[in-house]
Structure formats: structure tokens, C-alpha cells
């Protein structure tokens, strides 16, 4: 992984389909971009940038400075998509063996972190926000056991599972107000805003975990 990419991740204290959830909000004509290490401000066309993101052209979700202001919901969804992208980025290019390598005393692995993130998407968006019974969620609802990846699942399989769960989360949340609340059996009353903030924290934290594991894996390759 290029050093610059790791440096940006550390600076941002963070960790899939970028910006697909931003198709709904009304965007202004311009935004202000402030690249790292530069004093000047450069106006950009926000709608044009969004279109480029959705076409997966040159947008780099690892440096989220293209949209730095805007409505609260737009910024929350933008940063959530950024952390989703960062987490996936930590496992791309790893072999199946490397992705499962245990380099810490716990059962944490790079592929297991992405598997767990897919569970978190289902738990908070399908079950809590959407009100679906756990039996109707489109994947296993197994809590801490969600870190376990079966032998027949590949890195590509787990990434695809996370992407499906993220896409469904966007669909469920799209027409729900940030102030709308739901009940959680342990936490109590939570709003969609709180769920967004929780998921940003969760995925950023796990992307940091996985980034360290990847650096350790890279070190073993060189020895």
C-alpha cells in the first residue's frame, strides 16, 4: 500500500460503493475543496464531482476533500461511504491466506473485520432502523461470531456481502428523517443521525485495525 495512502488514513482517523447515497440530496452549484498541504481554496462543481463518483472514474474516496461542506445529511452519508470504502481498501489485494492471518491474540483478521461490518449494516439498518425481524435480514445475525469467516468464503465473497448490506442500508435510510427514532433493546432510543455516527465510528475504527494488520502482513512479505 502506498505510504501516502496510509498517511492520509491516519490523518483522517479513519477507515463501498462511494457516494451512491448522495444521489437524493439537493446539491449546490459549487463546493470548496481544500487539498492537504495547500493554503488556497479551489471552487469545484459539486454536481460534476458527484457524477464522476457514481461513474467510478477518478474520484479517490481515500482523500475525502472534494466535498467539505453542505447539508448535514449529505456530509454524514458522504463520510459513512468514505469509511466503508476505506475498510474494503484494507483487504483488496490480499491473498486468501493473508486475509485470514491472525497477527494479534484475538480472533481478529482483515477478512473477519469486513465480515463483521456486513453484520453491523444488517443489524442497525435492516433490523433496528427498518424493523425487519432478524430472521428476515439478508445474512447471518450472529453478533460477535460475525468475525468468523468460513473456509469456502473468499475475500471477494465477503466484500460483495458487505457491499450488498451497504446498498440495502442506503435504500432503507433514504426516506427516513435524521431525527426519526427507533428503539434498541440495550441502548434505548436512537435516531438515524446517531446510527450514522455510530457506523462512521465503527467502520473507521475497524479500518484502522485492518490497516495495521495489512502493514504487518506487508512486513512479513519482505522478510
Amino acid at each position: 500500500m502506498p505510504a501516502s495512502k496510509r498517511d492520509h488514513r491516519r490523518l483522517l482517523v479513519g477507515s463501498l460503493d462511494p457516494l451512491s447515497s448522495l444521489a437524493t440530496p439537493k446539491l449546490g452549484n459549487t463546493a470548496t475543496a481544500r487539498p492537504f498541504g495547500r493554503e488556497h481554496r479551489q471552487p469545484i462543481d459539486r454536481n460534476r464531482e458527484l457524477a464522476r463518483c457514481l461513474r467510478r472514474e477518478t474520484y479517490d474516496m481515500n482523500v475525502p476533500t472534494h466535498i467539505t461542506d453542505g447539508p448535514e445529511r449529505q456530509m454524514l452519508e458522504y463520510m459513512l461511504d468514505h469509511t466503508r470504502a476505506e475498510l474494503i481498501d484494507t483487504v483488496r489485494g490480499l491473498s486468501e491466506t493473508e486475509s485470514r492471518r491472525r497477527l494479534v491474540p484475538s480472533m481478529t483478521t482483515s477478512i473477519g473485520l469486513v465480515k463483521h461490518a456486513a453484520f453491523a449494516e444488517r443489524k442497525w439498518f435492516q433490523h433496528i432502523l427498518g424493523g425487519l425481524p432478524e430472521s428476515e435480514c439478508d445474512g447471518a445475525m450472529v453478533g460477535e461470531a460475525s468475525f468468523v469467516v468460513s473456509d469456502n468464503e473468499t475475500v471477494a465473497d465477503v466484500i460483495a456481502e458487505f457491499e450488498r448490506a451497504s446498498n440495502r442500508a442506503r435504500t432503507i435510510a433514504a426516506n427516513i428523517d435524521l431525527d426519526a427514532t427507533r428503539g434498541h433493546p440495550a441502548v434505548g432510543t436512537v435516531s438515524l443521525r446517531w446510527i450514522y455516527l455510530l457506523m462512521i465510528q465503527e467502520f473507521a475504527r475497524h479500518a484502522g485495525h485492518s490497516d495495521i494488520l495489512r502493514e504487518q502482513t506487508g512486513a512479513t512479505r519482505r522478510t
Side-chain angles (χ1 to χ4, degrees):
M1 182 183 303
S4 61
K5 186 173 287 188
R6 292 196 299 271
D7 292 342
H8 281 136
R9 184 174 294 125
R10 291 186 181 118
L11 282 169
L12 295 165
V13 196
S15 30
L16 284 157
D17 179 37
L19 293 183
S20 63
S21 60
L22 297 186
T24 301
K26 296 180 180 178
L27 305 179
N29 291 329
T30 62
T32 300
R34 289 187 290 176
F36 288 110
R38 298 183 185 178
E39 296 296 329
H40 66 277
R41 288 178 165 231
Q42 177 183 354
I44 63 174
D45 187 312
R46 187 174 302 183
N47 289 319
R48 182 179 176 184
E49 287 297 314
L50 176 60
R52 290 168 63 195
C53 292
L54 296 175
R55 293 198 303 271
R56 295 177 177 271
E57 290 183 354
T58 59
Y59 209 97
D60 183 4
M61 280 302 297
N62 294 298
V63 187
T65 56
H66 293 266
I67 300 177
T68 57
D69 60 38
E72 179 187 17
R73 185 176 190 123
Q74 177 189 335
M75 299 305 295
L76 287 170
E77 292 177 346
Y78 177 76
M79 290 307 298
L80 178 53
D81 278 334
H82 169 67
T83 59
R84 286 164 169 153
E86 282 284 288
L87 181 54
I88 284 183
D89 189 54
T90 65
V91 297
R92 288 197 191 279
L94 292 179
S95 69
E96 300 301 329
T97 299
E98 289 171 337
S99 71
R100 287 169 163 78
R101 187 167 290 157
R102 288 178 57 184
L103 299 170
V104 291
S106 71
M107 295 182 65
T108 303
T109 63
S110 290
I111 194 173
L113 288 165
V114 180
K115 182 80 171 178
H116 172 72
F119 158 75
E121 296 268 25
R122 292 191 294 267
K123 178 73 174 182
W124 286 99
F125 289 99
Q126 296 182 31
H127 181 53
I128 300 298
L129 186 64
L132 288 176
E134 291 192 349
S135 60
E136 294 181 18
C137 295
D138 59 6
M141 302 295 287
V142 289
E144 291 303 305
S146 60
F147 287 95
V148 178
V149 181
S150 66
D151 292 340
N152 62 346
E153 290 180 289
T154 66
V155 171
D157 291 336
V158 174
I159 290 175
E161 178 185 348
F162 185 28
E163 288 176 329
R164 285 193 302 272
S166 299
N167 285 332
R168 190 164 185 191
R170 294 183 188 99
T171 299
I172 290 170
N175 296 315
I176 298 176
D177 191 82
L178 286 177
D179 293 322
T181 59
R182 302 289 189 270
H184 185 281
V187 179
T189 301
V190 298
S191 66
L192 174 57
R193 178 185 289 103
W194 187 88
I195 292 172
Y196 275 155
L197 291 169
L198 176 69
M199 293 294 95
I200 290 168
Q201 176 211 48
E202 176 93 352
F203 298 155
R205 185 162 55 93
H206 288 325
H209 295 156
S210 189
D211 194 35
I212 292 171
L213 294 176
R214 183 164 188 139
E215 287 191 25
Q216 291 176 307
T217 296
T220 63
R221 287 176 178 173
R222 295 189 292 270
T223 56

